[in-house]
C-alpha cells in the first residue's frame, strides 16, 4: 500500500502558482480572436502568424530566464525566486491588458515570459525539495494544477467573452492573481515545518560546473529532444484548440473555451492519476503508451467536419470527448519525462536538470506554436494539426531509443 500523501503551506503556494501560471499562459490564446480584431491582426484574415509570433517572443524570454534561473535560485533560494517569478508574470499580463497596439504586446509579454521562465525552472525542484522521498508522486500532482488553471481560465473566459466582456478585463484579473500568488511565497512557513530554504548559496562556479557536467552527457541531450517534441505537441494542442473550434466549426467563444477546458480536465485526470499510482519503473511505459494513443486522436480531430454530424450538439459532444482523451494522453509528456530523465541521470545535479529540461521544452512550445500559425495561414488549421502526429512519432522514438543508445550498467 502506498504511503499517504502529506501537504503543507508551501505545497499550496506551489499549487496556486501552477494554477496562475496556466491562467496567465493561456489567457492570451483564449482572447486571441477578440484581441486580433481589437488590435488589427484578425486571425481569419492572415493574422495567425502574428498570433503565433506573440508566444514565440514570450518563449524567448522564458528561455533567457531559465538560463539564469539556477544562478538566481542559488542566490535567493527557491521560495523567494518563485515569489519574484510570480510578480514579473503578474506585471507583464497586467500591462498587456492596457496595450493600445499589437507591437506593445511584445515587450509586455517579454516581462511576463521572464517571470514564467523563473517559475518554470523553479516550480518543479521547489516541489521536489518539499518531498524528496517520492518526487514522482508530488511533481505529477503539482503539474496537475496547471490543468486546473486551464480549466478555470477557459470556462470563465468563455463565459465572459460570450457575454461581451472585454478581453482586457480577463487579462487584468490574471495579472492581479499573479501578484497575489507572489505574495504567498513571502509568507514564511512555521520554522517547525523545516522547509528546505536552500541552506547554502551556490557559487556561480558551482552552477557552471554542474552545467558543464550536464552538457557532456549524451543521455541528457536525448531527453532534451524528447522535451522539445513533447512540449510542442502539448502546447500546440492547448494554444490552438479554441481558435480551431471557432474558425473550423463556428463555435462560440464559450464553446471554444469548453473544448480547451476538456483538454485541461483530461490533463488533470491523467496527471493526478499518474501522481497517485505511477511507479518509477513504469514511467517509460506510460510515456510510450500515451504518445502512441494520442496520434489517432489528433488524426480524428483534424478529419472531422461539421457536415459529418446529424446536429451541432452531436458535433460538439464528439469534439469535447476527443479533446478530453487527448488531454489524458498528453498529460505526462512534460512532468513525467522530467522525473524520468532526472531518475536516469542520478550522477548529475537534479535542480539544474529540471531547469535545463524546461529550457528545452519552452522553445518547443514557442517554435511549434508559431509554425502552426504559419501553416494555418497557408493550409488552414486543419492541415496545421498534422504537425502534432509528426512530433509525437519523434517523441516516442526518442524515449524508446534512449535506453538502447545509452545502456546503463546493472540496470
Amino acid at each position: 500500500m502506498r504511503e499517504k500523501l502529506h501537504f503543507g503551506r508551501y505545497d499550496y503556494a506551489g499549487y496556486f502558482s501552477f494554477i496562475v501560471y496556466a491562467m496567465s499562459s493561456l489567457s492570451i490564446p483564449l482572447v486571441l480572436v477578440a484581441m486580433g480584431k481589437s488590435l488589427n491582426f484578425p486571425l481569419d484574415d492572415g493574422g495567425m502568424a502574428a498570433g503565433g509570433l506573440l508566444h514565440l517572443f514570450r518563449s524567448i524570454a522564458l528561455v533567457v530566464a531559465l538560463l539564469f534561473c539556477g544562478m538566481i535560485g542559488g542566490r535567493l533560494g527557491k521560495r523567494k525566486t518563485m515569489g519574484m517569478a510570480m510578480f514579473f508574470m503578474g506585471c507583464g499580463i497586467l500591462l498587456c491588458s492596457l496595450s493600445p497596439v499589437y507591437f506593445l504586446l511584445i515587450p509586455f509579454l517579454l516581462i511576463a515570459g521572464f517571470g514564467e521562465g523563473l517559475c518554470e525552472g523553479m516550480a518543479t525542484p521547489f516541489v521536489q525539495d518539499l518531498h524528496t522521498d517520492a518526487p514522482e508522486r508530488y511533481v505529477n500532482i503539482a503539474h496537475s494544477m496547471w490543468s486546473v488553471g486551464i480549466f478555470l481560465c477557459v470556462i470563465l473566459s468563455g463565459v465572459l467573452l460570450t457575454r461581451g466582456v472585454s478581453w482586457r478585463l480577463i487579462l487584468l484579473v490574471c495579472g492581479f492573481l499573479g501578484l497575489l500568488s507572489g505574495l504567498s511565497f513571502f509568507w514564511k512557513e512555521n520554522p517547525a515545518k523545516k522547509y528546505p530554504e536552500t541552506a547554502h548559496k551556490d557559487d556561480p562556479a558551482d552552477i557552471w560546473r554542474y552545467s558543464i557536467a550536464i552538457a557532456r552527457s549524451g543521455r541528457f541531450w536525448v531527453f532534451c529532444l524528447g522535451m522539445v517534441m513533447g512540449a510542442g505537441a502539448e502546447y500546440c494542442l492547448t494554444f490552438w484548440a479554441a481558435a480551431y473550434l471557432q474558425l473550423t466549426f463556428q463555435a462560440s467563444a464559450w464553446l471554444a473555451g469548453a473544448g480547451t477546458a476538456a483538454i485541461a480536465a483530461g490533463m488533470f485526470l491523467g496527471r493526478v492519476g499518474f501522481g497517485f499510482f505511477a511507479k518509477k519503473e513504469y514511467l517509460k511505459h506510460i510515456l510510450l503508451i500515451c504518445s502512441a494513443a494520442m496520434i489517432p486522436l489528433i488524426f480524428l480531430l483534424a478529419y472531422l467536419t461539421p457536415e459529418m454530424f446529424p446536429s451541432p450538439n452531436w458535433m460538439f459532444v464528439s469534439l469535447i470527448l476527443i479533446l478530453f482523451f487527448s488531454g489524458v494522453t498528453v498529460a505526462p509528456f512534460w512532468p513525467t519525462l522530467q522525473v524520468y530523465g532526472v531518475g536516469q541521470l542520478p550522477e548529475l545535479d537534479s535542480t539544474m536538470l529540471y531547469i535545463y529540461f524546461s529550457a528545452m521544452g519552452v522553445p518547443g512550445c514557442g517554435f511549434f506554436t508559431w509554425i502552426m500559425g504559419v501553416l494555418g495561414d497557408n493550409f488552414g488549421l486543419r492541415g496545421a494539426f498534422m504537425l502534432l502526429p509528426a512530433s509525437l512519432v519523434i517523441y516516442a522514438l526518442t524515449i524508446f531509443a534512449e535506453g538502447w543508445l545509452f545502456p546503463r550498467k546493472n540496470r
Side-chain angles (χ1 to χ4, degrees):
M1 185 175 179
R2 310 268 347 231
E3 184 180 346
K4 185 179 179 180
L5 297 168
H6 299 282
F7 304 103
R9 181 187 297 169
Y10 286 143
D11 284 298
Y12 299 120
Y15 296 164
F16 186 35
S17 72
F18 271 101
I19 291 171
V20 175
Y21 179 15
M23 295 179 73
S24 298
S25 180
L26 199 63
S27 59
I28 297 295
L30 283 173
V31 303
L32 200 59
V33 174
M35 181 188 286
K37 293 177 181 177
S38 176
L39 300 183
N40 200 29
F41 62 103
L43 298 190
D44 55 357
D45 191 21
M48 290 187 192
L53 194 64
L54 290 176
H55 191 70
L56 181 62
F57 277 103
R58 191 178 195 169
S59 298
I60 291 172
L62 269 155
V63 173
V64 171
L66 280 164
L67 293 177
F68 290 96
C69 190
M71 191 173 297
I72 295 171
R75 289 291 179 180
L76 300 180
K78 297 181 180 68
R79 178 178 63 85
K80 292 180 181 178
T81 303
M82 283 295 296
M84 185 173 68
M86 302 313 293
F87 282 137
F88 271 104
M89 191 187 306
C91 287
I93 297 299
L94 275 173
L95 289 171
C96 284
S97 73
L98 304 174
S99 179
V101 294
Y102 169 81
F103 289 105
L104 277 179
L105 290 172
I106 293 175
F108 296 158
L109 283 174
L110 289 176
I111 296 172
F114 186 80
E116 290 173 352
L118 293 179
C119 179
E120 186 64 58
M122 281 290 109
T124 300
F126 178 81
V127 174
Q128 184 195 37
D129 276 4
L130 293 172
H131 305 284
T132 55
D133 54 332
E136 70 278 359
R137 303 179 72 194
Y138 290 92
V139 166
N140 270 294
I141 293 171
H143 278 261
S144 74
M145 295 300 111
W146 167 274
S147 306
V148 173
I150 293 176
F151 187 86
L152 292 174
C153 187
V154 297
I155 292 297
L156 295 176
S157 298
V159 170
L160 293 174
L161 289 170
T162 302
R163 292 180 177 272
V165 175
S166 172
W167 58 271
R168 296 182 185 275
L169 180 60
I170 295 170
L171 296 187
L172 188 71
V173 172
C174 289
F176 172 76
L177 290 175
L179 298 179
L180 187 62
S181 175
L183 288 175
S184 69
F185 288 97
F186 289 98
W187 181 16
K188 281 195 173 184
E189 178 65 279
N190 185 327
K193 299 291 186 180
K194 296 182 179 179
Y195 166 71
E197 289 277 5
T198 304
H200 65 282
K201 305 300 183 183
D202 285 329
D203 188 271
D206 292 330
I207 301 296
W208 180 251
R209 180 166 50 83
Y210 299 152
S211 300
I212 291 296
I214 290 171
R216 288 176 174 172
S217 170
R219 189 186 293 269
F220 164 75
W221 292 106
V222 173
F223 285 123
C224 285
L225 176 60
M227 286 298 302
V228 170
M229 295 299 161
E234 175 187 329
Y235 200 75
C236 279
L237 178 67
T238 307
F239 188 97
W240 286 111
Y244 180 68
L245 293 180
Q246 286 177 282
L247 298 177
T248 305
F249 296 94
Q250 292 76 52
S252 66
W254 188 90
L255 288 172
T260 310
I263 299 172
M267 289 175 68
F268 174 80
L269 181 64
R271 285 177 175 172
V272 170
F274 298 140
F276 274 101
F277 303 114
K279 295 183 179 179
K280 291 181 180 180
E281 58 268 29
Y282 297 146
L283 297 182
K284 183 173 184 177
H285 301 84
I286 289 171
L287 293 170
L288 288 172
I289 292 170
C290 286
S291 57
M294 187 178 176
I295 292 175
L297 291 171
I298 297 301
F299 276 115
L300 184 60
L301 184 66
Y303 172 75
L304 294 174
T305 62
E307 295 76 22
M308 294 179 177
F309 299 93
S311 69
N313 288 338
W314 275 100
M315 178 177 70
F316 286 111
V317 168
S318 300
L319 292 172
I320 293 285
L321 287 174
I322 293 171
L323 291 171
F324 171 79
F325 286 110
S326 296
V328 173
T329 57
V330 83
F333 283 9
W334 187 291
T336 303
L337 181 57
Q338 283 189 315
V339 174
Y340 177 65
V342 170
Q344 294 296 97
L345 295 164
E347 68 278 8
L348 301 175
D349 183 78
S350 61
T351 296
M352 295 306 298
L353 278 173
Y354 278 121
I355 291 171
Y356 288 135
F357 282 149
S358 294
M360 294 296 108
V362 168
C365 294
F367 179 75
F368 277 71
T369 301
W370 172 62
I371 287 295
M372 272 198 71
V374 173
L375 293 173
D377 281 336
N378 289 276
F379 306 104
L381 275 179
R382 189 184 301 278
F385 261 88
M386 290 300 97
L387 182 65
L388 272 66
S391 69
L392 289 169
V393 169
I394 299 174
Y395 180 80
L397 289 175
T398 300
I399 296 168
F400 181 79
E402 171 267 328
W404 175 70
L405 290 172
F406 299 96
R408 188 180 298 280
K409 293 179 180 180
N410 300 321
R411 176 175 288 186

